Amino acid sequence: RNHMWRNFLLILDTMPRKVDFWNVEKLGPIVVYGLVPVLTFFFAWGFFKRWKMWKQGAPEREKRIDDIPKRIGFLLKFLFTPQRMYQDRLAGIAHGLIMYGFIVLFVLGAMMDAVNANVVHYISGWIYVVQSFVLEIGGLMVVVGILLAMVRRYIIRPKHLEQGNNAGLILAWLLVVIVTGFALEGLRLPQTDMQDHPDWAWASFLGLACSKIFAGIGLDREAVLGSHEVMWYVHMLVCMGFIAYIGWSRLRHIFTGAANIFMQSTKPTGEIDEIRNIEEAEKWGVSKVEEYSWKQLFDLDACTRCGRCEDNCPASATDKPLSPKDVIGSLKSQMERFLGTPKPTAAVATEEAAASDDEEVRDPALIGGSVEEDAIWACTTCGACLDHCPVFIPVVDKITQMRQNLVLMESRFPQEITNVFTGMENNGNPYRIGNDKRNEYLEGEDVKILAEDSDVDILYFAGCAGSFDPRNQKVAKIFVGLMKKAGVNFGMLGPEETCCGETARRIGNEYLAQTLMRQCIETFKSHNVKKIVTTCPHCYNTFKNEYHRFGGEYEVISHVEFLAQLIEQGRLKPVNPVQGKVMYHDSCYLGRHNGVYDAPRAILAAIPGLDVAEFAEARGDSFCCGAGGGRMWMEEDLGTRINEKRVADGLEDDPDMMCTACPYCMTMFEDGLKAHNAEEKVDSLDLCELLAQSL
């Protein structure tokens, strides 16, 4: 047994092993163990100062650390299938190489070395060789990633990417960390592995390449040892300084971004939080940065200013004064100025400021100051910013809360909105038409009205556009005909139907919105409504995702989902060919906010003869029509009209028809076709109109 044990120890002694603090045995441990506590303190202090700002926000209403396994799943999904990161291909590859490279260096390098030096010496033999090889790969990934990032930032220079010295400093710093690490390997290997275990040295292939460079210089052993010692201290100080710097720089997003992914909202993206106890509330909306919740303030520090939100924002793309990235940046600057430092008061302000009200000195305007009013009103609430954000930062909620303050506290909103509010208050619709005329367009049709006969399986909610807009009345009438043809037992509210409140809510008039929503709920309750179908995605989203907060729980289905079901069940059979090239436009509130992509395409696929084409920006990347967020009712006098850009993009494919499933999109497409003098060449249709042609 002793003989076997001696042989085993001899084998271990001849295997390559990790040597801790090689060539710096005297001062190396003192430097590391002396600096680690100090730099850890600076690292933590940076985050502590940010935490002091976050905690000044209002209480957060949504649970953020519930269902831990699900939230860990969010992180794992991002780590292993980071689709959002790669939506910007080059940026995603560069960031991915740097991120995964550093994960390898940290886990298989720093953590394993710490255990080896302080707990158990286990890095030897195949463990040492594998570690060496994988660390070379990790370092190479970081270098390639940094070089790609530099090419993108300083040569390609995409317009949405900020060109700041801070970003260049960070990239250069990271490069120095890796290059000095490889240089250390190049200086050490000829004195250790290449002498003791030359057959194993291949694992450090980049270190070997560096050693050849040093060999070419002609350094003797003493020079090599001295250079290695100096390089070790440089490398160690650069690494530790970088770690301490994280807590004080935009690099904190390494942690805040991951935390934001973990704490992301689990509610539908189309859902807006209501103002609770609105009758008793003393203030509505947000006018100061601390009135946002702590999680909304945390969002500001998770932002990397990568520009993906700006690059996909329809308002920004059409030269409106709205950049989601800049909104977040402005709010962050406001947070740092007023929550991160002692509050300026009149006593320490300038003479002019001292003469003003102390509150104004302490908090200059957020709305119209840090964030332009035109930017607030330019938002279409399409959700593209959130959908493309790698770390799930919502912007629409922050803009909506500023709108609420403008509308409810300041009575400041675009002039044309006055008539919209008046119509909703007096007539129950934004068209300012008497509600008793809601079903006039169906005169002569045999349609059940729930006040007369509530024995129905489903309520058809036509919405305001379907009831009062002449073009969309045609759509509603055809959909009624399709349901009758399929033998659906449905009914309508007729004069009892009122606006669902969606437009008022997204414009910022939460008080009016809640009034309309409660009125609808009472009407539904009086007729025992359980299931609703609607031709308007805005009504669909509101009923499905927001009414539950007021006690309205319904099964809600869009008309395209319903029609697709009827076709699948054989109750509608499209048989007549419809010739022509059609392009389907994904409505933001049907597609991006609610994930209804396949049903409309299933309908198109069922219609014989059609040549179906996709917009260049389709499904989750669909470009907004410009009518969401109440923009349907506002003048668009800044930049290019969003609907005209969307139509222009579609016309490049020379279609015969542009098809949608939203009354707002329908209106915007018809206007866009007229603007391009294409209304005679290209038809704008709703899906149900196209289906009706084939029956």
Side-chain angles (χ1 to χ4, degrees):
R1 289 182 181 177
N2 290 337
H3 178 69
M4 292 176 59
W5 179 247
R6 282 196 299 270
N7 286 339
F8 177 69
L9 292 178
L10 183 63
I11 292 172
L12 285 181
D13 191 52
T14 59
M15 294 176 67
R17 278 187 294 181
K18 184 82 171 185
V19 179
D20 300 313
F21 299 108
W22 181 85
N23 195 43
V24 289
E25 294 88 349
K26 293 181 179 179
L27 291 179
I30 296 174
V31 170
V32 170
Y33 298 123
L35 284 180
V36 165
V38 175
L39 295 176
T40 301
F41 170 79
F42 277 102
F43 173 87
W45 182 253
F47 278 95
F48 175 71
K49 287 177 70 67
R50 308 308 291 190
W51 174 78
K52 287 175 65 178
M53 289 187 270
W54 305 330
K55 73 172 186 175
Q56 294 180 60
E60 172 64 24
R61 292 171 53 175
E62 189 175 352
K63 294 180 180 179
R64 297 293 182 172
I65 54 173
D66 60 327
D67 198 351
I68 301 299
K70 181 178 182 179
R71 294 188 177 279
I72 291 175
F74 293 155
L75 284 173
L76 294 177
K77 182 179 179 181
F78 172 80
L79 189 62
F80 295 110
T81 60
Q83 296 96 334
R84 290 189 176 206
M85 189 165 71
Y86 291 108
Q87 286 174 339
D88 185 330
R89 188 65 56 83
L90 182 57
I93 292 173
H95 191 280
L97 287 171
I98 295 171
M99 180 182 73
Y100 294 123
F102 266 106
I103 289 175
V104 168
L105 294 176
F106 179 73
V107 175
L108 297 183
M111 290 183 67
M112 285 183 65
D113 287 354
V115 173
N116 187 74
N118 299 286
V119 181
V120 58
H121 297 283
Y122 69 101
I123 302 180
S124 63
W126 67 268
I127 297 177
Y128 175 67
V129 174
V130 171
Q131 184 204 38
S132 298
F133 181 74
V134 175
L135 290 181
E136 298 290 287
I137 297 295
L140 181 60
M141 290 170 62
V142 175
V143 170
V144 174
I146 291 171
L147 294 178
L148 287 176
M150 287 181 169
V151 167
R152 176 173 176 266
R153 178 170 292 277
Y154 298 113
I155 297 177
I156 299 175
R157 301 173 70 91
K159 65 178 183 178
H160 64 269
L161 189 65
E162 294 180 348
Q163 301 296 336
N165 292 330
N166 193 36
L169 170 66
I170 289 171
L171 290 174
W173 201 335
L174 286 174
L175 193 59
V176 170
V177 168
I178 303 302
V179 170
T180 55
F182 284 136
L184 277 174
E185 283 290 280
L187 292 167
R188 179 185 65 82
L189 286 172
Q191 313 302 319
T192 56
D193 295 24
M194 292 173 66
Q195 289 187 16
D196 302 332
H197 311 284
D199 294 339
W200 299 72
W202 61 267
S204 301
F205 59 93
L206 288 173
L208 281 175
C210 291
S211 70
K212 292 180 180 179
I213 295 175
F214 291 123
I217 297 175
L219 298 177
D220 59 23
R221 176 176 170 78
E222 290 301 318
V224 167
L225 293 176
S227 299
H228 175 274
E229 187 172 7
V230 171
M231 186 67 71
W232 188 90
Y233 292 118
V234 170
H235 177 71
M236 192 58 59
L237 291 174
V238 168
C239 288
M240 290 190 171
F242 185 80
I243 292 171
Y245 179 64
I246 288 174
W248 299 82
S249 71
R250 63 194 298 176
L251 283 170
R252 71 177 69 91
H253 82 268
I254 297 170
F255 298 95
T256 55
N260 219 48
I261 293 169
F262 178 85
M263 295 190 295
Q264 67 182 269
S265 174
T266 55
K267 69 182 183 182
T269 61
E271 182 178 351
I272 291 178
D273 285 336
E274 83 283 11
I275 297 177
R276 295 180 179 175
N277 303 316
I278 194 167
E279 296 280 359
E280 290 78 31
E282 296 181 0
K283 186 167 185 177
W284 296 314
V286 164
S287 64
K288 298 177 183 177
V289 70
E290 62 263 38
E291 291 168 355
Y292 286 117
S293 75
W294 68 261
K295 172 57 173 61
Q296 289 175 306
L297 297 184
F298 187 88
D299 289 340
L300 310 181
D301 269 333
C303 178
T304 66
R305 299 190 66 76
C306 67
R308 286 174 174 82
C309 56
E310 178 181 291
D311 198 38
N312 289 278
C313 173
S316 181
T318 53
D319 302 318
K320 308 292 189 296
L322 170 61
S323 161
K325 179 183 72 174
D326 288 345
V327 169
I328 295 296
S330 296
L331 295 177
K332 182 177 179 179
S333 296
Q334 197 85 342
M335 176 180 74
E336 291 173 337
R337 182 178 180 188
F338 293 108
L339 304 185
T341 59
K343 311 297 185 293
T345 63
V348 297
T350 62
E351 200 172 284
E352 180 181 352
S356 66
D357 180 76
D358 183 64
E359 183 70 9
E360 287 299 313
V361 176
R362 183 256 175 279
D363 275 330
L366 173 63
I367 303 170
S370 294
V371 182
E372 293 182 45
E373 279 194 46
D374 283 339
I376 294 171
W377 294 115
C379 179
T380 66
T381 68
C382 69
C385 49
L386 173 59
D387 199 57
H388 288 83
C389 178
V391 292
F392 296 84
I393 298 172
V395 183
V396 171
D397 62 333
K398 299 168 182 63
I399 290 176
T400 302
Q401 287 174 287
M402 285 189 276
R403 284 185 176 186
Q404 290 171 347
N405 185 268
L406 284 173
V407 173
L408 297 174
M409 300 297 294
E410 304 291 336
S411 295
R412 284 159 48 194
F413 44 83
Q415 182 60 40
E416 57 270 26
I417 295 299
T418 302
N419 290 333
V420 175
F421 289 158
T422 300
M424 291 178 180
E425 291 166 355
N426 297 336
N427 305 106
N429 67 81
Y431 292 89
R432 294 187 296 162
I433 299 174
N435 224 38
D436 59 328
K437 295 180 171 55
R438 266 196 183 259
N439 272 37
E440 278 192 353
Y441 69 99
L442 290 175
E443 189 174 348
E445 295 282 344
D446 183 19
V447 176
K448 288 184 180 180
I449 303 299
L450 264 60
E452 302 167 0
D453 184 355
S454 60
D455 183 21
V456 299
D457 297 327
I458 190 168
L459 165 69
Y460 170 42
F461 193 93
C464 299
S467 300
F468 299 111
D469 176 67
R471 176 65 186 89
N472 284 293
Q473 284 177 340
K474 296 177 183 178
V475 175
K477 192 169 184 177
I478 287 174
F479 181 63
V480 165
L482 291 174
M483 287 196 292
K484 291 170 68 175
K485 188 176 184 68
V488 178
N489 180 23
F490 72 97
M492 298 179 69
L493 290 171
E496 284 189 287
E497 180 179 308
T498 59
C499 179
C500 68
E502 190 269 354
T503 294
R505 168 166 260 204
R506 275 148 187 80
I507 290 175
N509 195 338
E510 178 71 7
Y511 189 90
L512 175 57
Q514 289 195 22
T515 301
L516 294 167
M517 294 166 87
R518 295 181 192 282
Q519 184 177 342
C520 281
I521 289 172
E522 287 303 313
T523 302
F524 294 161
K525 188 182 296 183
S526 68
H527 297 298
N528 198 31
V529 171
K530 300 296 183 184
K531 186 174 182 180
I532 303 171
V533 63
T534 177
T535 42
C536 178
H538 297 266
C539 298
Y540 167 77
N541 177 75
T542 300
F543 291 143
K544 179 182 177 183
N545 297 324
E546 296 182 347
Y547 267 48
H548 69 93
R549 292 180 176 269
F550 304 95
E553 300 278 357
Y554 313 103
E555 180 185 351
V556 187
I557 186 169
S558 72
H559 74 302
V560 290
E561 292 174 297
F562 195 49
L563 292 173
Q565 289 178 8
L566 295 176
I567 292 172
E568 186 178 2
Q569 294 165 3
R571 297 167 70 180
L572 290 176
K573 298 179 180 180
V575 293
N576 299 321
V578 179
Q579 302 298 329
K581 184 176 185 179
V582 62
M583 300 185 74
Y584 174 72
H585 162 78
D586 291 283
S587 156
C588 299
Y589 274 82
L590 195 60
R592 186 177 294 113
H593 285 310
N594 287 286
V596 181
Y597 297 118
D598 295 332
R601 288 167 174 82
I603 295 172
L604 292 173
I607 300 174
L610 277 180
D611 176 14
V612 181
E614 293 277 10
F615 279 86
E617 295 169 307
R619 291 183 174 263
D621 294 325
S622 182
F623 194 84
C624 181
C625 76
R631 292 294 318 173
M632 174 75 176
W633 310 98
M634 303 180 204
E635 294 296 332
E636 190 173 355
D637 49 15
L638 297 173
T640 304
R641 290 183 178 270
I642 295 174
N643 63 323
E644 291 179 12
K645 183 182 186 311
R646 180 58 164 168
V647 168
D649 292 343
L651 290 175
E652 290 180 2
D653 253 8
D654 196 26
D656 300 299
M657 295 164 279
M658 289 188 183
C659 186
T660 185
C662 172
Y664 287 4
C665 295
M666 173 73 74
T667 299
M668 303 305 280
F669 268 55
E670 293 212 323
D671 289 348
L673 288 169
K674 290 176 183 177
H676 290 287
N677 298 313
E679 71 272 23
E680 298 296 330
K681 179 184 175 183
V682 181
D683 291 328
S684 178
L685 300 170
D686 187 274
L687 264 175
C688 68
E689 293 179 300
L690 201 55
L691 176 61
Q693 293 179 32
S694 185
L695 297 178

